[in-house]
Amino acid sequence: NITDKAIEYIANHFKNIKLLSVHGNINITDKSIDYLSKLEKLDTLDVFGCSSIENKSFDFLKSKLKNVKNFKLQDGLVSKEST
């Protein structure tokens, strides 16, 4: 499983990543949110089932990641147009 430390590494070394799925990973916490928010070129982010992340953090991500067209969150797929 991926950890917050791995998300930090991804954010610092793969800044041009367009799709990221950490589906179902309970080891990712709110600590990862700041790192994920730096991935400005993401267009798809799947964090469904990451139960250690608070809902307010999902809202923060949606506000920071302007290019993401599709978020897969706790409650299912949320397109940018519906946010």
Side-chain angles (χ1 to χ4, degrees):
N1 279 331
I2 293 178
T3 63
D4 290 326
K5 199 73 172 160
I7 295 296
E8 177 183 13
Y9 183 87
I10 290 168
N12 289 328
H13 293 91
F14 299 96
K15 296 179 188 286
N16 292 323
I17 193 169
K18 292 189 180 239
L19 181 146
L20 181 63
S21 175
V22 291
H23 184 99
N25 195 317
I26 60 171
N27 294 320
I28 294 175
T29 69
D30 289 329
K31 291 179 184 179
S32 290
I33 298 305
D34 284 332
Y35 303 124
L36 290 171
S37 70
K38 295 176 184 176
L39 297 172
E40 297 175 351
K41 298 202 176 184
L42 276 179
D43 64 20
T44 301
L45 177 61
D46 181 355
V47 288
F48 183 83
C50 297
S51 56
S52 297
I53 299 176
E54 300 278 331
N55 284 339
K56 65 182 178 182
S57 295
F58 292 127
D59 293 338
F60 173 77
L61 268 181
K62 288 191 286 186
S63 72
K64 294 297 274 181
L65 296 175
K66 305 294 185 197
N67 291 326
V68 174
K69 297 177 185 126
N70 295 301
F71 285 94
K72 191 166 185 187
L73 305 174
Q74 291 298 90
D75 56 354
L77 185 64
V78 179
S79 69
K80 193 68 167 182
E81 293 77 32
S82 67
T83 58

